[in-house]
Amino acid sequence: MNTPFWGPDFETLAGTDPEIADVVLGELDRLRGGLQLIAGENLASPAVLAALGSTLSNKYANGYPGRRDYGGCERVDVAEEIGIARAKELFGAEHANLQPHTGASANLAAYAAFCEPGDVVLAMDLVAGGHFTHGSRTNFSGRWYRPVAYGVHRDTELIDYDQLRDLALAHRPRMIIAGASSYPRLIDFAAFRSVADEVGAILMVDAAHVIGLVAGKVIPSPVPFADVVTFSTHKVLRGPRGGMVLCRAEHAKAVDEAVHPFTQGGPLMQAVAAKAVAMKEAATIEYQNYATQVVANATSLAKGLEGEGMRAVSGGTDTHLALLDVRPLGITGAEAVRRCGAADITLDRNEIPFDPAPPADASGIRVGSPSVTTQGMTEPEMVEIARLIGRALREPEHAEQVAAAVGMLTAAHPAYPRD
Ligand SMILES: *Cc1c(COP(=O)(O)O)cnc(C)c1O
């Protein structure tokens, strides 16, 4: 190629807008200088970031490849066609839509494709681990549809499949949603399918958190069981911030029309291209090894935190995240977040099942292994991280010493190494 490439050029940004350049550099320093344990975050590759920072951002491409509302879409059509083909191959899906701007937009499209306002939707209780797009009153899902919630058993903290079936029989939902934001265990998609079939409901699987583990072939795929699968592309999957929908061929038209024109305008073609790049990366053996290590690391981290006196909800994890009840340490989840933050450890507070504390405090923390695993950390580092979290929580007066130890870990396993 003899055309000069215009790529993400930090000097250009710094020259034009030093204030925003400073934010970008500062955020990179933050990523490099601490431990990122937020379960839904990851560190996208330089190749993904390059596609995101490209001139594809300029293009209007309403519609789908070969049938756009605008001229000049020949090049971006190729990116979307490649991305769709990779998604179908990677996930064994009959149809893929790469245009949702993010996971919540993918969910909006899925509701729009299958439900009418006022329809009953059966989804997981927020306090049990569900997502706010599964029926929260603060979200379209709770305002325009009639949410009914299933939960987990009080003793095992595992999904109560009997309650799920009883509620389905009693309320006859139009759609059942499986999937959660803070459920550390595998979900029995076959059980969901059989309940959906029994009541004639659509089965939507919101795989936002775990789709990267599915891509890496370390947990079972929801695709063979679901009518529609939605997800974010920036979590374990390690793509650009964005969303995607997979569905059976019979639903392709409904899903595509629900994304555009029903809920979105022009697609973010830079993000569509970056999703294609991420799926190429996710189809490799290296990524499968990564996904395997993500689960091993989360397991090891959860065990370590139990050793520090916290209680692992459901007794552990099968995935990339763990939920820890911090009440044994005499603090709230919110206080735990503050104490860890002072030691350069970033995580989030989370309600635990049947949490008696208000959501703004919460009784738990959620930790995830995707970012630190991308940085090349393995079990020995997880043991150390658990020790550091334990110390940060018990001895807030020693936050600086913990931060220094965090600095040693991140220096040995940097985010975005300068090579
Ligand atoms: C993260 C998440 C989403 C989508 O979130 P976005 O921030 O919009 O990508 C949807 N559902 C679940 C269960 C999630 O965990």
Side-chain angles (χ1 to χ4, degrees):
M1 252 197 278
N2 53 13
T3 40
F5 173 68
W6 187 92
D9 179 344
F10 189 75
E11 296 304 313
T12 306
L13 174 59
T16 302
D17 191 338
E19 289 167 283
I20 293 299
D22 199 48
V23 171
V24 173
L25 268 195
E27 171 61 7
L28 185 54
D29 280 348
R30 187 191 69 81
L31 282 178
R32 283 175 169 157
L35 291 168
Q36 311 308 325
L37 298 177
I38 292 184
E41 291 185 1
N42 208 334
L43 305 166
S45 72
V48 166
L49 296 180
L52 274 181
S54 70
T55 57
L56 300 195
S57 172
N58 295 327
K59 192 72 200 90
Y60 252 119
N62 297 23
Y64 292 97
R67 45 197 174 95
R68 307 280 192 187
D69 298 342
Y70 291 82
C73 290
E74 299 78 13
R75 307 308 302 177
V76 294
D77 271 8
V78 175
E80 189 162 355
E81 277 161 357
I82 290 173
I84 291 168
R86 285 181 187 163
K88 288 161 73 171
E89 169 79 21
L90 183 62
F91 299 112
E94 292 176 4
H95 182 72
N97 188 308
L98 273 60
Q99 292 189 9
H101 298 330
T102 186
S105 325
N107 285 354
L108 173 60
Y111 278 87
F114 298 106
C115 303
E116 291 297 326
D119 277 352
V120 173
V121 175
L122 178 56
M124 194 162 179
D125 193 350
L126 263 65
V127 184
H131 190 255
F132 65 87
T133 55
H134 299 179
S136 165
R137 282 293 300 170
T138 62
N139 180 258
F140 75 87
S141 55
R143 204 76 73 74
W144 297 343
Y145 303 94
R146 284 196 288 148
V148 176
Y150 60 87
V152 296
H153 286 285
R154 223 173 237 284
D155 48 349
T156 60
E157 296 169 313
L158 300 176
I159 291 174
D160 185 344
Y161 292 96
D162 295 324
Q163 182 200 29
L164 170 77
R165 179 168 178 269
D166 291 345
L167 289 171
L169 290 169
H171 296 275
R172 298 272 152 186
R174 168 72 185 139
M175 186 160 85
I176 299 176
I177 305 180
S181 290
S182 51
Y183 185 70
R185 296 301 187 170
L186 296 181
I187 292 175
D188 184 349
F189 299 121
F192 271 92
R193 180 76 257 170
S194 101
V195 172
D197 285 343
E198 199 174 347
V199 299
I202 289 286
L203 177 59
M204 164 178 160
V205 174
D206 179 347
H209 261 275
V210 295
I211 196 70
L213 300 177
V214 174
K217 305 192 191 316
V218 285
I219 66 166
S221 173
V223 172
F225 300 99
D227 295 287
V228 59
V229 178
T230 60
F231 53 90
S232 310
T233 50
H234 48 268
K235 300 185 179 179
V236 184
L237 187 59
R238 211 162 59 187
R241 185 158 295 280
M244 214 186 283
V245 184
L246 306 174
C247 66
R248 296 185 176 175
E250 64 191 283
H251 304 309
K253 189 169 182 290
V255 163
D256 283 353
E257 288 175 359
V259 174
H260 170 83
F262 195 74
T263 59
Q264 288 190 177
L268 312 176
M269 292 313 297
Q270 76 280 20
V272 169
K275 288 168 197 173
V277 175
M279 286 188 286
K280 178 167 182 162
E281 293 175 347
T284 60
I285 289 290
E286 289 75 18
Y287 183 85
Q288 290 175 17
N289 293 339
Y290 163 74
T292 303
Q293 190 63 50
V294 162
V295 176
N297 280 354
T299 304
S300 161
L301 189 53
K303 277 212 186 76
L305 292 171
E306 283 185 308
E308 295 296 323
M310 290 158 249
R311 186 185 69 84
V313 168
S314 84
T317 181
D318 304 319
T319 63
H320 63 298
L321 70 83
L323 198 58
L324 285 305
D325 181 349
V326 294
R327 288 175 301 178
L329 301 181
I331 55 175
T332 63
E335 181 57 24
V337 168
R338 275 190 292 276
R339 292 185 185 185
C340 284
D344 293 339
I345 301 170
T346 304
L347 40 76
D348 53 2
R349 69 169 191 279
N350 210 106
E351 289 180 281
I352 59 171
F354 307 100
D355 202 328
D361 290 333
S363 298
I365 54 171
R366 188 179 61 157
V367 293
S369 58
S371 293
V372 290
T373 308
T374 294
Q375 288 170 244
M377 298 190 201
T378 57
E379 287 92 333
E381 285 80 28
M382 298 307 120
V383 172
E384 170 73 356
I385 291 173
R387 259 205 305 267
L388 294 175
I389 292 175
R391 182 142 190 243
L393 296 185
R394 276 192 311 270
E395 305 169 27
E397 69 280 10
H398 293 139
E400 266 179 45
Q401 280 156 267
V402 179
V406 165
M408 310 262 282
L409 271 179
T410 56
H413 301 278
Y416 297 107
R418 293 169 173 87
D419 66 30

